[in-house]
Each structure stands twice: as structure tokens, then as C-alpha cells.
Amino acid sequence: MMFRNSELQKCYWQSFSLQRFIAMPLVIMAIVVLILLAIESNRAEVISAVSYQGFYIIVFLWGGYQAANALVQEVKENTWDNQRLSLVSPWDLTVGKLFGSTMYTWYGGVILLAIYFFSALQVKDAVPDQVAFSSLLLLGAGMLCQATALFSSLIPLRMQASRDQFHVVGYFILGLIVSGFFYSMGSYLSAPYSYEHDEMKWFGQVISLHYFFLSSMLLLLLWTMWAIYRFMRDALKFKNTPIVWALFVIFCMVYFAGYADERSYFGSILGAANFYPNNGPFLYAFVVGILAVYLNFFSENLNIIRYRTLFHHWHGKVWKKVGHIVPMWTVSLILALMAGIIFVIASSNDSYNTEEITVLVISSLLFLLRDACILHYFTLNPNGRLPLLAALFYLGVFYLLIPNIVFATGLKIEYVGYIFYPTFFTGGDLQMLLPVVGELFLAAWILKMRYQKVNAMIEQ
């Protein structure tokens, strides 16, 4: 039984009382009765619209905030450590925090969803499949909103942030943003005109747009729940390996590569097929790998103690412990490198693109390594305040401020842009990579000095 979960039991007793149990359906039914009495025509249409918006208010806004606050409240009240020392399992914590903290909002949400479904079917010219799609959209997007809010609240915990750095509103807004994309896009797709056009292309194959949309939302929800579970394992001192993260990055590479066709929605917007007509999927996979590395920089703890422990196990050839402690950004970097190599090899059939693509891949990886050195320069400092914010400031200087100052002098971007941004060069002139190589060596030398200094302080 699900209610053998102690966390769910606790949330149930905290969320429900006889008064709250009766109040939710009573208020909802009172609103429905008010609509029936006040409106003489199009009652079903008005009730379906009100219940649709009511579901958003209760499940997305209220439920999303509850999910974001579930762990933050435990940390701020100093009860989180007690849970970590209890016998509760990571999966029980995952289910309990996600569904327990939002149990009461789902109580009202399910009632509103049922009212929407049956009232929408009574609307003139209603299409049952269209109503079912809208209902599944509400259900899936609501769960995704709450899962994303809870997941984002776990990131500071994984990065060992202080209690003052747990901001409920930020996690709540992130959940609304992620789910809001699916909610707004799904609402557009469920409109009568859009619903009639049920085709899209993915890897050149014609498939059902609405089934694909719901499947994508479901897959993202499952990955988010699995990420919450792994974060809970980490919090309870279970050992995780980088295999699951590698699988997720590979999944994202394959998923977004399917949009590279110029006739697909994203392919027509991003225009990858216009630059690389035969290699768009490999470009998308390479870009996903690069973005995954940057995502790791801002979602895991990169302190010097972790690297000292990693080097110790590496020199001792204790590979199992190396696998447990290795930073995820290294896994993403390896996958990005592999995707880049495949991208270059695949371009060998396009002789006019091969050299340009080679330089593009090398340039992107060099800038990525330079930025990694800059980020680690700040995160390795044990006394640094807000190291990631400081690193973002300097990256903004390097990518925005300095280039714009240079371009303001009248120099064109095609002449000096390769100094500041990853780019491709006509003819594949490898000599134009020398500036970024110099930047990388300088950043690596400064990082080495920082590491040696901090390491000496620790050993003393």
C-alpha cells in the first residue's frame, strides 16, 4: 500500500482534517451552483472554462509552491537531518515529498479535472479526443510543475548551500516556467484549428503531434522524478554512479537530434539544416553535450575536498570510488567530445564543410575548457562568497562587455569574433584557434596556482 510510506502518512495527517476534507468539494460545488444560477446559456462552456482555470490555480500555483517548500521548510526548521538519520528510504522520501506535500491540492485538482472533463463534453461540437487531450495536458503539466519545483529545491542541498540560500519563490517560478511551456504549447495545440493538424516530423518520419507532445511531457516528468530520487539517495549518503546521468544526456542528444530536419518545427526555427543539410542531427547532439556541461557546473558541488578525494582514489586505482565521486561535468564533456568527433566524421561526405566543422568543434571545446577553468578558479576557493555568481560575472565580461567594446571601435565581428566566441572559419584555418588556445593556457595556469595555494593551506 502507498500509505505504508511514513512520509505520506505524515503529510496526510498534516493536510487533512474533517473541516478541510469537506471544505474543498463544498466550495467547488458552490461555485458550480452559482454559475448554473447566474447563467442561462452556455453553462457547460462556462463551467469547463472556470474549472480549467481553477485547476491551474490550485495545482500549478498552490501545489507548485507547496512542492518547492516541502524540503526548504525541513531545512530551515532543522528537521531535515532527523529524516536523513531515520530508516526512510530514498524512494519513500521522493514519493512523500512530491505527492505528500501536494496531497491536498491534488484532492481539489482531481475534482476540478473531473468537472472540466464532463462539462467540456457537453459543449456544442465538442470533440472527445480533444477534451481528453486537454485533460491529460492539465494532469501531466501539473505534475511536471510540482516535480520541477521540488527538483530545483534539491540543487542547493546537493551543492551544500547554507540555509539562507534556499529561496522557495525561485524554485516555484522555475517549476512554472518549465511546465508553463508545455501548458501554453498544449493549450495552443488543443485549439480546434490546431487540433486538426495532427502531424509532425521527427527524424524525417511523420508522427502524431499530440501523442508525441504528451509522450515528451511524460518522459520529462519521469526523468525529473528519477533525478529527485537520485538526489535523495545522495542526501542519504547512498552512492550514485554517473551512468544514469550519461543515459539522460544521450537521451537528450537523440531526442533533440530528431528536430534537426528543416521541415520540423525546431529545425525551421534554428535553421541547422540550412548550414549543415546532412549533419543537422549531429550538430544538435554536440550542442546538447556542451549545454549539459554548463548545466553541471551550476548544479553540483565542485569544492577542493572533492577533487582531493578524487585524485587520491585515482592514484590508488580504486576505480569504484572514482566512479562514485567523479563530477558529472566530466561525463558530459566526454559525451560532448564523442558527439563532436562523430559530427566531424559524418561531415566527411561534405568536403566543403569538413574543415569548417572541424574548427567549429575544436573552437567550442576550447572555449568550454576555458570557462571550466574560470568556474573552478572561484569554486575551489574555500573562503569565496557566492563563487558561481562571481564566475558568471566574469564570463559576462568575457562574452559581452569586452567584445562589445572591441566592436564599438569599428572592428567587424567576422575579423575578430573568433577571439571571443566559438565559430567556424571558411577554409578551416586552424591558426585562428591560437587566441583561444592562449586564453585556455592562461586560465589553466591561474587555476593551477589557485589549486596549489588552497591545497597547501589545507595540508598545513
Side-chain angles (χ1 to χ4, degrees):
M1 292 292 293
M2 184 67 73
F3 268 73
R4 291 177 182 174
N5 186 322
S6 60
E7 189 68 20
L8 279 178
Q9 291 177 1
K10 182 189 75 172
C11 294
Y12 172 77
W13 290 112
Q14 288 178 344
S15 302
F16 283 88
S17 64
L18 180 61
Q19 177 263 328
R20 288 169 64 88
F21 182 80
I22 297 175
M24 179 67 78
L26 192 63
V27 171
I28 293 175
M29 295 311 299
I31 295 174
V32 173
V33 171
L34 178 61
I35 294 174
L36 292 174
L37 294 175
I39 299 177
E40 296 182 357
S41 60
N42 299 325
R43 290 175 174 175
E45 185 175 349
V46 174
I47 291 175
S48 65
V50 171
S51 57
Y52 190 93
Q53 297 302 321
F55 183 93
Y56 180 85
I57 293 172
I58 290 180
V59 174
F60 284 75
L61 300 182
W62 186 8
Y65 183 84
Q66 292 287 82
N69 194 49
L71 184 78
V72 175
Q73 197 67 22
E74 298 277 3
V75 173
K76 291 187 175 180
E77 292 180 356
N78 295 320
T79 58
W80 173 239
D81 289 334
N82 294 333
Q83 285 192 325
R84 293 172 61 193
L85 295 174
S86 67
L87 295 178
V88 62
S89 68
W91 181 247
D92 286 344
L93 268 181
T94 301
V95 175
K97 293 299 181 186
L98 179 57
F99 297 106
S101 61
T102 60
M103 189 180 299
Y104 191 69
T105 63
W106 277 112
Y107 175 52
V110 169
I111 296 174
L112 287 168
L113 189 62
I115 293 174
Y116 166 76
F117 181 78
F118 289 108
S119 61
L121 289 176
Q122 305 306 315
V123 176
K124 184 180 179 181
D125 299 328
V127 180
D129 290 346
Q130 186 177 349
V131 175
F133 174 80
S134 298
S135 301
L136 291 174
L137 168 67
L138 284 174
L139 183 64
M143 294 181 65
L144 181 60
C145 174
Q146 297 174 4
T148 305
L150 176 60
F151 168 72
S152 58
S153 70
L154 291 170
I155 295 177
L157 182 70
R158 187 167 184 243
M159 299 177 69
Q160 299 180 1
S162 63
R163 288 187 301 171
D164 296 336
Q165 292 177 280
F166 284 77
H167 303 293
V168 180
V169 176
Y171 314 139
F172 168 54
I173 292 176
L174 183 59
L176 287 180
I177 292 174
V178 173
S179 62
F181 168 80
F182 288 92
Y183 179 76
S184 59
M185 180 65 72
S187 299
Y188 168 77
L189 294 177
S190 62
Y193 174 78
S194 300
Y195 197 80
E196 295 176 359
H197 301 80
D198 189 33
E199 289 185 355
M200 66 165 289
K201 284 187 176 292
W202 194 66
F203 282 110
Q205 301 297 316
V206 178
I207 57 178
S208 170
L209 171 60
H210 296 88
Y211 284 128
F212 184 82
F213 182 84
L214 291 175
S215 300
S216 300
M217 185 169 58
L218 176 62
L219 286 172
L220 181 57
L221 174 62
L222 293 176
W223 277 114
T224 305
M225 291 184 63
W226 189 253
I228 295 172
Y229 168 71
R230 285 177 60 83
F231 273 29
M232 292 298 184
R233 281 178 54 88
D234 189 61
L236 297 181
K237 302 304 179 182
F238 287 86
K239 300 299 182 182
N240 290 323
T241 63
I243 295 176
V244 174
W245 173 255
L247 291 175
F248 173 70
V249 176
I250 293 172
F251 164 79
C252 290
M253 287 179 171
V254 175
Y255 177 83
F256 286 103
Y259 291 111
D261 192 300
E262 63 179 343
R263 293 164 294 178
S264 70
Y265 179 74
F266 287 103
S268 61
I269 294 177
L270 301 178
N274 296 330
F275 292 102
Y276 308 107
N278 299 321
N279 304 309
F282 303 108
L283 172 62
Y284 277 42
F286 178 64
V287 171
V288 168
I290 295 289
L291 294 177
V293 179
Y294 283 102
L295 179 63
N296 290 137
F297 287 147
F298 296 95
S299 61
E300 60 179 335
N301 186 20
L302 300 175
N303 61 47
I304 192 170
I305 301 301
R306 180 176 186 177
Y307 283 102
R308 281 170 56 90
T309 307
L310 176 64
F311 295 150
H312 172 75
H313 293 319
W314 181 275
H315 292 310
K317 298 182 179 180
V318 187
W319 306 122
K320 185 176 181 180
K321 292 186 176 180
V322 169
H324 290 158
I325 202 173
V326 63
M328 295 296 101
W329 72 266
T330 58
V331 178
S332 302
L333 179 61
I334 293 173
L335 291 174
L337 176 62
M338 294 173 61
I341 293 174
I342 295 174
F343 184 27
V344 172
I345 294 175
S347 68
S348 59
N349 296 328
D350 301 329
S351 57
Y352 65 94
N353 267 339
T354 303
E355 294 180 343
E356 294 180 3
I357 291 176
T358 302
V359 175
L360 171 64
V361 170
I362 296 175
S363 173
S364 301
L365 293 173
L366 289 175
F367 274 100
L368 175 61
L369 292 174
R370 186 205 67 176
D371 295 345
C373 292
I374 294 173
L375 285 160
H376 280 85
Y377 176 80
F378 292 98
T379 57
L380 291 182
N381 184 7
N383 299 320
R385 296 185 59 187
L386 302 175
L388 292 178
L389 186 60
L392 276 175
F393 170 78
Y394 282 100
L395 288 177
V397 170
F398 295 143
Y399 279 113
L400 298 175
L401 182 60
I402 296 178
N404 280 289
I405 291 175
V406 173
F407 299 149
T409 62
L411 290 175
K412 295 184 178 180
I413 187 172
E414 56 264 26
Y415 295 149
V416 294
Y418 59 89
I419 300 176
F420 307 108
Y421 309 113
T423 185
F424 63 89
F425 314 118
T426 304
D429 191 354
L430 294 175
Q431 293 182 356
M432 300 181 77
L433 293 173
L434 291 178
V436 66
V437 172
E439 295 174 28
L440 173 59
F441 272 103
L442 178 61
W445 179 78
I446 295 175
L447 174 62
K448 180 182 177 182
M449 296 297 103
R450 166 60 62 85
Y451 180 84
Q452 291 176 344
K453 179 180 178 180
V454 176
N455 194 46
M457 293 171 57
I458 294 175
E459 291 180 350
Q460 290 177 359

